[in-house]
Amino acid sequence: MIYKLHKNGSYNIHTITTDKFKTIRMEIILRNNFNQETAAIRTALFEMLTENSKNYKSKRELNLKEEELYNTIIYAESTKLGNEILSSINLEFLNPKYTDDDYLNEALKLPFDLLFNPNIIDGKFDDDTLVTIKQRLLSELASIQENPQKKAIFNALKIMDPKSISSKNLIGTEEEINNITTTKLYQEYLYILAHDYIDIFIIGDFDCDEVINIINGESNFRTIKNHDVSLFIDNRVKNKVSKKEESSNDYQSQIVYIYNTINLNENERKYIMPIYNMILGGGSLETKLSKSLRGDNSLCYGVQSIYNKYDNLLIITTSVDASNVNIAKKLIASSVNSMKDKVTDDEVKHAISSSISSINMAYDYPNRVIANYLFNYMAELDPMEIRIENYKKVTKEEVAKISKKIKLNTIYVLKGENNEEN
């Protein structure tokens, strides 16, 4: 794979040429600092942009165009990454060498047409389309409440700090979704095009000069970037652990532990902490949490730890019978405590091997390759080869030492109905 960065004033083009895939993938990524007041509007906006345009008046017309372009796929995606919000229009299409001469040009034009020729009349987006998008977002919001684990994590983050960006979501509240208007969408659209950082990634087998010429001909970005964007969130460290238990109608009880990671240096953040997490609960069934809760005590089907690097948080979550909540909490605490002096060389070796395998697997998927180069560019992620070498250097002593930089913040239990009284 050959990667090149092409700086172009208001935007950057990142080309990744390879003959490994039969398709070409392009992602137009617009990013800025997360703003809760406009997050739901922004998420709805990008859904709107890939629903129709002035040239494709309905979703049906757009789908017909995709079919015409040999089943090209185009869709929007919104992601919250630490303190930033990333919105993208993603395009995947057949390698042009299998098609006619004008195919590449036609395919690459499509996402820019949607972005720069939206269905706007008199400073407003289409009302009927907004009704569809609102219904979609409300359904996504409801799905969080219907998923016990997601609901518990969301609630726990609110308990941790309701003002923290870590506790916010992309689609907002029901009230925020209902308050979206076509005029607000247009105002957000103008703001994004004027102020977002913009990166266009394209991966596949193509001629760089030809692709860049097409993209430059279709791009109409005139952004003014005079502000900083920052990924990392410094969540407040508490002297006293927040503890809360709430009831639910779910069959099992959900347990969530949230820890702060404190003053990690760059190497600890990038390499030691991921290995720590892999050993504790981020890997296979051989993790400390899985062995303790599932293997030795048969309390649960699954337990995991999640390292949110850009939020400086470590989250542990599991589902158990209500009668087993207390013992599960003791075992979680014991597993975390064991990371201080009971990590073995074999556990470190296994975690390093799993981490390297995950890195190598990224080469098999165009979207993951793009994600790696995006994070190389914006998020202090080293190139794959350097990451592999640095992971190999991690020792059990370093893993044990980092335990001193992890502090419990919140314990939250969403207690299910299958308790002893029932």
Side-chain angles (χ1 to χ4, degrees):
M1 292 182 184
I2 301 174
Y3 166 81
K4 290 183 180 179
L5 168 62
H6 313 265
K7 294 187 176 181
N8 201 357
S10 296
Y11 59 96
N12 298 317
I13 302 173
H14 307 252
T15 56
I16 308 164
T17 51
T18 175
D19 60 2
K20 185 170 184 174
F21 308 112
K22 291 184 179 180
T23 60
I24 293 176
R25 182 178 179 89
M26 181 171 71
E27 298 185 10
I28 305 171
I29 302 171
L30 300 95
R31 59 190 176 90
N32 215 322
N33 292 315
F34 183 85
N35 182 349
Q36 181 61 35
E37 293 181 2
T38 59
I41 298 171
R42 182 182 178 116
T43 302
L45 170 63
F46 278 84
E47 292 292 324
M48 295 279 288
L49 291 174
T50 51
E51 196 75 11
N52 52 50
S53 71
K54 286 182 178 176
N55 291 326
Y56 306 98
K57 298 294 186 182
S58 67
K59 187 66 171 180
R60 175 60 179 161
E61 287 187 30
L62 180 58
N63 287 340
L64 289 173
K65 181 62 178 180
E66 291 173 301
E67 291 176 10
E68 179 186 318
L69 294 172
Y70 299 95
N71 291 320
T72 285
I73 299 171
I74 189 165
Y75 63 96
E77 189 171 24
S78 296
T79 305
K80 183 166 72 69
L81 189 69
N83 192 55
E84 289 189 29
I85 184 168
L86 285 69
S87 308
S88 64
I89 296 179
N90 305 325
L91 173 77
E92 192 153 346
F93 59 98
L94 189 65
N95 189 317
K97 69 181 181 181
Y98 302 114
T99 62
D100 55 63
D101 292 340
D102 198 42
Y103 177 71
L104 176 64
N105 189 55
E106 283 293 306
L108 288 179
K109 280 184 176 181
L110 183 57
F112 292 104
D113 178 85
L114 299 179
L115 184 57
F116 293 114
N117 295 298
N119 195 4
I120 296 172
I121 298 175
D122 296 329
K124 297 195 301 182
F125 277 83
D126 178 63
D127 286 295
D128 291 338
T129 305
L130 178 56
V131 171
T132 299
I133 299 304
K134 281 185 176 182
Q135 290 172 344
R136 188 181 301 168
L137 294 180
L138 289 170
S139 177
E140 289 183 31
L141 186 62
S143 71
I144 295 175
Q145 295 302 313
E146 292 166 2
N147 183 307
Q149 184 186 62
K150 287 182 179 180
K151 179 171 62 174
I153 293 174
F154 181 75
N155 291 354
L157 288 168
K158 289 287 187 184
I159 299 301
M160 178 195 78
D161 185 354
K163 295 181 179 179
S164 170
I165 289 176
S166 298
S167 70
K168 311 299 182 183
N169 66 48
L170 288 168
I171 56 180
T173 64
E174 183 176 347
E175 181 181 6
E176 288 169 338
I177 294 171
N178 287 326
N179 285 339
I180 298 172
T181 66
T182 53
T183 301
K184 288 180 180 178
L185 286 170
Y186 180 61
Q187 292 169 346
E188 183 67 8
Y189 172 75
L190 294 178
Y191 180 86
I192 287 171
L193 291 184
H195 298 293
D196 266 31
Y197 284 77
I198 300 161
D199 293 277
I200 301 169
F201 284 81
I202 183 164
I203 181 172
D205 186 11
F206 51 78
D207 179 89
C208 276
D209 290 337
E210 182 182 11
V211 163
I212 289 171
N213 285 336
I214 295 172
I215 292 174
N216 285 338
E218 297 300 318
S219 298
N220 190 30
F221 297 112
R222 299 291 186 269
T223 58
I224 302 171
K225 300 184 287 287
N226 55 8
H227 65 290
D228 293 330
V229 288
S230 174
L231 271 171
F232 292 97
I233 301 172
D234 290 323
N235 279 298
R236 182 167 57 93
V237 179
K238 299 175 181 177
N239 293 324
K240 183 178 180 181
V241 176
S242 295
K243 299 179 180 180
K244 186 162 186 178
E245 183 174 301
E246 295 178 312
S247 299
S248 78
N249 294 323
D250 302 312
Y251 180 70
Q252 286 200 306
S253 297
Q254 306 295 320
I255 303 174
V256 180
Y257 274 57
I258 301 177
Y259 294 81
N260 296 98
T261 58
I262 305 169
N263 298 326
L264 302 184
N265 62 41
E266 186 175 332
N267 186 60
E268 289 171 336
R269 188 165 57 240
K270 291 159 67 172
Y271 298 107
I272 312 302
M273 191 62 205
I275 295 300
Y276 174 103
N277 179 61
M278 188 72 72
I279 295 169
L280 176 64
S284 66
L285 296 178
E286 297 303 307
T287 67
K288 288 189 178 298
L289 285 168
S290 185
K291 285 180 181 178
S292 181
L293 273 75
R294 176 176 172 167
D296 296 342
N297 291 279
S298 302
L299 295 184
C300 61
Y301 177 77
V303 56
Q304 64 174 330
S305 61
I306 306 162
Y307 172 41
N308 288 349
K309 177 169 67 173
Y310 304 113
D311 298 75
N312 289 297
L313 295 176
L314 176 73
I315 299 173
I316 296 173
T317 178
T318 189
S319 305
V320 299
D321 289 345
S323 58
N324 291 326
V325 166
N326 289 334
I327 187 173
K329 289 165 68 176
K330 291 178 181 178
L331 292 173
I332 289 172
S334 175
S335 296
V336 173
N337 193 54
S338 72
M339 295 295 295
K340 297 175 182 179
D341 55 10
K342 293 183 174 61
V343 174
T344 67
D345 288 322
D346 284 343
E347 286 175 321
V348 173
K349 184 178 179 180
H350 180 72
I352 290 171
S353 177
S354 297
S355 298
I356 292 173
S357 295
S358 179
I359 292 172
N360 288 327
M361 285 177 60
Y363 284 104
D364 296 330
Y365 304 94
N367 61 322
R368 289 188 62 183
V369 175
I370 287 177
N372 270 278
Y373 281 107
L374 171 65
F375 294 152
N376 292 161
Y377 176 70
M378 63 167 276
E380 69 163 30
L381 187 72
D382 292 324
M384 294 180 181
E385 297 79 8
I386 294 176
R387 289 163 63 199
I388 289 172
E389 290 305 311
N390 284 339
Y391 273 131
K392 290 178 180 178
K393 298 175 183 176
V394 177
T395 67
K396 69 177 182 181
E397 289 78 16
E398 290 174 313
V399 173
K401 185 178 178 181
I402 209 172
S403 293
K404 298 177 181 178
K405 295 188 175 185
I406 296 167
K407 189 175 189 302
L408 183 58
N409 182 304
T410 300
I411 301 173
Y412 176 76
V413 177
L414 188 63
K415 199 161 188 179
E417 62 181 8
N418 68 325
N419 51 44
E420 294 175 349
E421 288 79 5
N422 289 338

